[in-house]
Amino acid sequence: MPPFDETARVGPSAGQVRRPPAARAANGGGAAGPRRPAAPSRSRATASRSGEARPPAARSGGGGGRPPVKPPTGGRRPGGSGSGAGRPPGGAGKKRTGKQRRRRFLKFVAGAFLGMLVLLGVFVGVVYASTEVPSPDSITNKQTTVLYYADGVTEMARLSDGENRTSVPLAQISEPARNAVLAAENRGFYSDPGISFTGIARAAWNNVTGGSTQGGSTITQQYVKNAILNSDQTFSRKFKELFLAVKLDNEYSKDEILENYLNTIYFGRGAYGIETAANTYFGVPASQLTAEQGAVLAVLIRNPSANDPETNPEGAQKRWGLVLDAMVEAGWVDPAARTPMAYPPVQPRTGANLGIPSGPEGLIVEQVLDELTGPGMGFENVEGAGLRVTTTIDKGHQDAAVAAVNDVMDGEDPGLRQALVAVDPRTGGVVAYYGNKQHGSDDPTVDTTDYAQAYKQPGSSFKPYTVATALQNGFSVDTRRDGTSPQEFPDREREVVNSGNAQCAACTIKEAVTRSLNTTFYGLAYDLGPAKVAEQARAAMGIGETWPDDGSVPETLRGKTSLASPENGQTGGAIGIGEYEVRPIDQAVGFATLAAGGMYHERHFVAQVADTTGAVLRTVTGAENARPVIPAEVASDTTFAMEDVAKSSKRALEGNRPVASKTGTQGLGAENSDAWMVGFTPSISTAVWMGTQGIAPIRDAQGKIIYGSGLPGQIWQQFMDAALAGTPEEPLPAKAVIKADPQVDDVAEATTEAPASTSQAPVTQEQQQATQAPAPSTAAQSTGAAESRARERARAEAERARQAAASNSSAAAARSTASTSSVPEPTATPEPQPAQPSAPVQPIPTPSTN
């Protein structure tokens, strides 16, 4: 018989586990006593069905009694039941709740964070201890900034040669002047720890998000940046600046820091330090500066070039008032004394230009400085920052521009003014720039105006934008339009005439471009809607809807709507013939957009900025802000429409190189006041303007009226030939690709005059000028053209009324169905229609363009 009861359970069962009885020990020292059989509670068959087996009994001593029962492996502990079976006593190994897990995670995060803080504290302590602040006496403040041509080797200007500085103790700087600087730059200077945490955070956020670089630095930080570091807008430089500023604030008194700052900062006009600036701008020592004078100097700290009271009087005075208001808020100026304060007289600029060239290149340097200190770059104290700036100006192109102007204007009226701007259509970089032959002259009678930035009426050189607008609204370059002269239009009191009163009752748009027919393009702009033409031109040239409200814009245009009448802010059909002001640089950029297939690139003068070690701080490729503003096929056909102009104006390029161009003049009674020649190849777009310092008749040395194809065309032609010499010929579109909308009118059927043959040589500008009377025409021709115009105007008025009714109907339907649809169906516009001005546009004094 086996030594154990075979009915004992040895594994887990589906039911309750019975604990076997404890074994009894023998009375003797280890002899086994009589075995007491355990009465089975179930039959052997029942145990088998339940999956139960009885375990062997434990024996004690030398074998007496039953052996202890071993816990089953892989099953429940005997005596246990439910889900708790098999767990250690006392609840050990219990599964954690969600709250316990979260608490454990938070403890881990807190520990990690505290560990990081400890490591950061150690790091900061080590860096702080190892940071050495140079003494003010050991700092070399002179850091020459060098400007290079596009090759990165040939120097254009070295800006801080001949540094002008006189240091004085703080006691010799008037208290009002000190307070003005504090009000403008750091009102909390005497209470801050040397750094501005909010300013650093704001600058970091703008760097991360791609926003404009910002300052927000304390005076201590500015001193560190300008005197010890550089203007590099990077995290590493800001990091160094922070530690140096904190340690400087701990090792030097506030008065010492302020004194060093005021003796270091650049105020423009070659003046470093407030003592030199006081003498340069007011002819007095710093100890005698008044609050008004101190505010003038305080305004210059942020941007000496842009805030010079001579170059930007309006902007400088506006900021001057803000500084004085801040001084009142800080309690440094009595409010009663603030009211009578007036802007103090400032001495004129002298020849101290820190190495800026006095010739045409000096105007380029000014543009570079404005770009570097502008919102897109944000560099400060450029002249003394030790930068290495590579410009976009090509040395060969620049020399060619200067030579072309000098050669053509030799012997001409010295009262004539010229401007030439050449742009690379692929990048927007300005490759040649001529605004005046003088810059920074000490003689107040010498005109140093930058005419490349002057606002002048472009005349017929503006017509390509009208063509581009028409091609997007159902027209093609083969659409025929009425070009008879004169014509009347509803938005103009005076008749529109063609140059020389040229006639063409049914010229194609391409022919009208070549012959420069004013009546064709005035009517086309009026019928398209003048606002559409203005919108397209702004996009191509990259100008805003309003002109800037500062000293760079003529007073009559400041803050006014661009490409509109300054009197009432409305754009009329006159935009089609260029009677609204733009700048030569705008025209160069606008035509560059056409040359680039409709892709606009923002014009720029800076290609790369590096520090004194050669480390690149900023690179400009032109792709940063590039965007399509004209459909490619529209740009192609507009270019095609312009390809005969240079040849017809006797300004074809050498070897008959393909080029698209447009001449333009602005009339002044029987004279001209402005003359233009603008044109491009795929690799260069050049605009040339000629006029006077104001608005006056322009004539050449022979006493002849100057037209666009005259002296301006000659300068343009010579420059383009020189700039393109040795370069491969670049093709232009050989044919048009856009077909006219069938609903767009073709006036050929409405006239009895046979349309001009496209193979016929176009009428040159000189031929137009020689024509003093209308070309002979039959009564049928005149009647046909008049009837055509009348029908066209009547149909346009009727269509406007129909569109207005349809619009009202659509609006009513949209309101009635607003519960089911939030977007009403658009009203179909089958063909371009003339826009009706809300009020009559005032006539422009200049009667005609060509």
Side-chain angles (χ1 to χ4, degrees):
M1 181 170 179
F4 56 86
D5 189 349
E6 292 182 353
T7 63
R9 289 172 291 195
V10 296
S13 65
Q16 183 177 1
V17 179
R18 293 183 66 183
R19 184 181 302 274
R24 296 182 179 180
N27 294 331
R35 180 178 297 173
R36 183 179 179 180
S41 59
R42 299 179 186 177
S43 65
R44 193 177 297 269
T46 303
S48 176
R49 284 195 304 270
S50 303
E52 299 176 351
R54 188 178 301 275
R59 299 177 184 267
S60 64
R66 295 183 180 181
V69 179
K70 295 181 179 180
T73 58
R76 298 176 179 174
R77 179 187 175 94
S81 64
S83 62
R87 292 182 182 173
K94 205 171 183 183
K95 188 176 181 180
R96 294 184 180 89
T97 65
K99 185 175 181 180
Q100 290 174 325
R101 289 195 299 271
R102 286 192 297 272
R103 186 180 295 114
R104 183 180 179 86
F105 175 75
L106 290 175
K107 288 181 179 178
F108 172 78
V109 171
F113 180 72
L114 290 175
M116 291 177 63
L117 285 181
V118 172
L119 291 176
L120 180 62
V122 172
F123 173 75
V124 169
V126 171
V127 174
Y128 181 83
S130 61
T131 299
E132 295 184 2
V133 179
S135 66
D137 295 335
S138 66
I139 295 173
T140 302
N141 293 306
K142 180 179 177 181
Q143 300 185 63
T144 303
T145 290
V146 183
L147 270 59
Y148 298 95
Y149 285 95
D151 60 8
V153 177
T154 308
E155 287 190 14
M156 179 185 297
R158 185 172 286 263
L159 297 184
S160 67
D161 286 346
E163 178 183 327
N164 186 11
R165 183 196 308 276
T166 302
S167 297
V168 294
L170 189 64
Q172 294 183 22
I173 303 172
S174 73
E175 185 176 356
R178 281 182 272 162
N179 290 336
V181 173
L182 293 176
E185 296 298 317
N186 187 188
R187 267 184 265 181
F189 168 72
Y190 278 95
S191 60
D192 65 35
I195 61 174
S196 170
F197 291 104
T198 57
I200 293 173
R202 182 168 59 251
W205 173 255
N206 277 275
N207 286 337
V208 170
T209 59
S212 60
T213 55
Q214 293 187 3
S217 300
T218 64
I219 280 178
T220 308
Q221 288 176 264
Q222 290 184 46
Y223 173 67
V224 168
K225 176 174 58 179
N226 294 325
I228 304 175
L229 301 176
N230 54 45
S231 297
D232 182 8
Q233 299 290 334
T234 62
F235 285 113
S236 61
R237 199 274 299 160
K238 205 72 177 176
F239 187 75
K240 294 177 184 177
E241 176 189 306
L242 185 148
F243 279 94
L244 283 169
V246 172
K247 199 159 189 177
L248 186 71
D249 192 76
N250 290 333
E251 295 184 4
Y252 293 89
S253 69
K254 290 290 187 178
D255 282 348
E256 288 176 312
I257 295 173
L258 182 60
E259 176 184 306
N260 293 328
Y261 171 80
L262 292 174
N263 285 318
T264 302
I265 203 69
Y266 179 61
F267 290 90
R269 298 191 183 183
Y272 282 87
I274 195 167
E275 175 73 9
T276 305
N279 281 282
T280 299
Y281 287 90
F282 303 108
V284 299
S287 60
Q288 297 179 16
L289 287 171
T290 64
E292 294 94 324
Q293 293 171 332
V296 172
L297 299 182
V299 167
L300 294 167
I301 293 175
R302 286 292 179 92
N303 196 333
S305 300
N307 294 331
D308 190 298
E310 185 172 300
T311 59
N312 184 13
E314 185 173 331
Q317 292 185 30
K318 181 178 180 181
R319 292 170 177 81
W320 171 82
L322 295 176
V323 172
L324 290 177
D325 292 341
M327 294 177 71
V328 172
E329 293 178 9
W332 294 326
V333 169
D334 189 335
R338 166 69 181 92
T339 303
M341 286 183 173
Y343 197 86
V346 176
Q347 295 189 140
R349 292 176 66 102
T350 64
N353 289 317
L354 283 167
I356 298 178
S358 59
E361 289 73 25
L363 298 176
I364 298 175
V365 174
E366 294 288 357
Q367 292 298 316
V368 172
L369 292 176
D370 288 345
E371 193 169 314
L372 289 171
T373 57
M377 293 275 187
F379 290 97
E380 300 175 7
N381 188 26
V382 172
E383 291 87 341
L387 302 177
R388 300 295 180 263
V389 183
T390 302
T391 70
T392 59
I393 301 295
D394 183 281
K395 183 64 165 63
H397 291 1
Q398 181 65 21
D399 290 345
V402 175
V405 173
N406 291 338
D407 292 347
V408 173
M409 299 309 297
D410 185 24
E412 297 292 339
D413 183 358
L416 293 172
R417 301 287 184 264
Q418 308 81 36
L420 184 153
V421 182
V423 173
D424 185 344
R426 300 160 297 192
T427 65
V430 179
V431 296
Y433 188 88
Y434 182 99
N436 200 319
K437 63 181 179 181
Q438 292 287 344
H439 172 266
S441 173
D442 295 338
D443 187 350
T445 63
V446 174
D447 180 17
T448 58
T449 304
D450 184 354
Y451 286 100
Q453 304 287 335
Y455 290 79
K456 300 292 183 178
Q457 294 176 333
S460 292
S461 67
F462 199 86
K463 290 173 181 176
Y465 307 118
T466 307
V467 175
T469 307
L471 295 179
Q472 295 177 71
N473 287 272
F475 293 81
S476 77
V477 296
D478 295 321
T479 301
R480 297 187 179 276
R481 298 283 296 182
D482 181 8
T484 56
S485 174
Q487 290 189 35
E488 295 181 354
F489 295 91
D491 68 339
R492 189 181 184 91
E493 294 181 359
R494 192 172 52 258
E495 293 178 328
V496 177
V497 298
N498 293 329
S499 177
N501 207 29
Q503 304 291 324
C504 186
C507 274
T508 66
I509 290 179
K510 178 177 172 60
E511 291 168 342
V513 170
T514 305
R515 300 180 63 176
S516 200
L517 301 176
N518 294 329
T519 55
T520 297
F521 287 98
Y522 195 108
L524 188 58
Y526 177 80
D527 292 345
L528 289 168
K532 290 183 180 179
V533 180
E535 182 180 3
Q536 180 62 88
R538 291 190 191 105
M541 293 187 286
I543 62 178
E545 292 189 6
T546 58
W547 295 122
D549 190 8
D550 57 41
S552 66
V553 182
E555 188 173 356
T556 56
L557 298 177
R558 291 176 191 170
K560 302 290 183 65
T561 302
S562 62
L563 303 181
S565 168
E567 285 79 16
N568 55 30
Q570 295 185 18
T571 302
I575 193 172
I577 56 176
E579 287 190 356
Y580 303 127
E581 289 83 351
V582 294
R583 301 172 299 174
I585 193 169
D586 296 329
Q587 282 289 74
V589 172
F591 277 52
T593 299
L594 292 171
M599 184 69 69
Y600 165 77
H601 295 85
E602 185 175 5
R603 61 96 172 160
H604 60 279
F605 289 82
V606 176
Q608 186 184 87
V609 184
D611 61 16
T612 52
T613 67
V616 176
L617 309 178
R618 188 68 57 85
T619 300
V620 182
T621 64
E624 295 84 359
N625 298 310
R627 57 182 182 272
V629 297
I630 302 175
E633 65 275 11
V634 172
S636 176
D637 279 17
T638 303
T639 300
F640 175 68
M642 302 163 61
E643 291 178 22
D644 293 335
V645 174
K647 184 177 180 180
S648 69
S649 301
K650 298 182 180 179
R651 293 301 170 199
L653 300 184
E654 287 183 358
N656 288 322
R657 180 188 291 264
V659 64
S661 61
K662 188 68 193 79
T663 57
T665 56
Q666 187 61 37
L668 185 66
E671 302 281 348
N672 287 334
S673 59
D674 302 273
W676 299 70
M677 182 77 178
V678 190
F680 60 86
T681 67
S683 60
I684 189 168
S685 170
T686 303
V688 175
W689 165 87
M690 185 173 293
T692 60
Q693 187 171 3
I695 299 178
I698 53 176
R699 289 179 174 267
D700 61 17
Q702 288 73 41
K704 296 180 180 179
I705 295 176
I706 298 175
Y707 288 85
S709 61
L711 296 178
Q714 191 174 345
I715 293 173
W716 177 88
Q717 183 184 43
Q718 179 174 327
F719 168 77
M720 291 289 281
D721 282 338
L724 293 169
T727 63
E729 184 176 292
E730 301 164 295
L732 291 178
K735 63 179 181 179
V737 296
I738 297 175
K739 304 300 180 184
D741 187 327
Q743 298 185 20
V744 174
D745 294 329
D746 192 322
V747 300
E749 297 180 357
T751 66
T752 58
E753 179 183 7
S757 170
T758 55
S759 62
Q760 179 181 354
V763 178
T764 65
Q765 197 169 43
E766 286 74 12
Q767 291 171 331
Q768 293 180 31
Q769 296 164 17
T771 306
Q772 301 299 324
S777 60
T778 63
Q781 290 173 341
S782 299
T783 301
E787 291 176 352
S788 171
R789 290 197 301 271
R791 282 195 298 268
E792 188 175 343
R793 302 282 183 266
R795 182 170 52 259
E797 297 294 338
E799 181 60 24
R800 272 199 299 271
R802 183 194 66 77
Q803 287 186 355
S807 177
N808 294 336
S809 176
S810 296
R815 287 192 296 269
S816 66
T817 59
S819 60
T820 59
S821 175
S822 61
V823 181
E825 286 294 323
T827 303
T829 305
E831 60 180 278
Q833 297 298 332
Q836 180 68 26
S838 58
V841 177
Q842 296 297 322
I844 307 298
T846 49
S848 64
T849 58
N850 73 305

